[in-house]
Amino acid sequence: MSERRTWADKKSEILSRPGAGAAYEAAKIRFELGEAVRLRREQLGLTQTELAERTGLKQPAVARFEAGGTMPTIPMLERLADALEMRLSVQFQPLREAG
């Protein structure tokens, strides 16, 4: 029987595969953007349907976005920011400082 490994070890093994790091980072970005939109929407007391109406989207598209299922364009992020009464800020960070 093999020895159990920690999640950190398994994650490290997976990310060592060619191309896995880029795919992981893209998924992380989608998840973080979706989570930020969901948290702000909830702060404002909006439903997904209400946010969809404000952005010109359909409710299922908002749900997919909040779940990290889609990578938005800059214009889409601008529409979401406006609907959520926020200012969009896009920035570049040195890799060593990026979280």
Side-chain angles (χ1 to χ4, degrees):
M1 194 155 151
S2 66
E3 183 178 320
R4 290 192 69 113
R5 297 170 46 197
T6 66
W7 168 246
D9 290 339
K10 184 66 176 170
K11 179 181 169 187
S12 179
E13 175 194 326
I14 292 168
L15 291 177
S16 70
R17 297 176 188 156
Y24 175 82
E25 285 303 316
K28 181 179 173 193
I29 290 168
R30 289 192 308 268
F31 175 81
E32 289 173 347
L33 287 170
E35 181 179 45
V37 166
R38 180 186 54 79
L39 291 172
R40 178 61 177 165
R41 176 182 60 76
E42 290 173 348
Q43 264 183 347
L44 294 173
L46 297 172
T47 65
Q48 288 181 343
T49 300
E50 290 167 329
L51 180 58
E53 289 169 359
R54 288 184 176 197
T55 59
L57 297 170
K58 298 202 182 294
Q59 180 276 329
V62 171
R64 274 191 309 277
F65 180 82
E66 288 185 358
T70 58
M71 181 62 85
T73 62
I74 297 294
M76 174 59 68
L77 290 174
E78 289 171 335
R79 288 171 39 198
L80 285 164
D82 186 51
L84 294 168
E85 302 169 9
M86 300 187 82
R87 182 178 79 73
L88 177 64
S89 174
V90 177
Q91 60 184 335
F92 290 96
Q93 296 177 324
L95 290 177
R96 291 187 188 125
E97 295 175 22

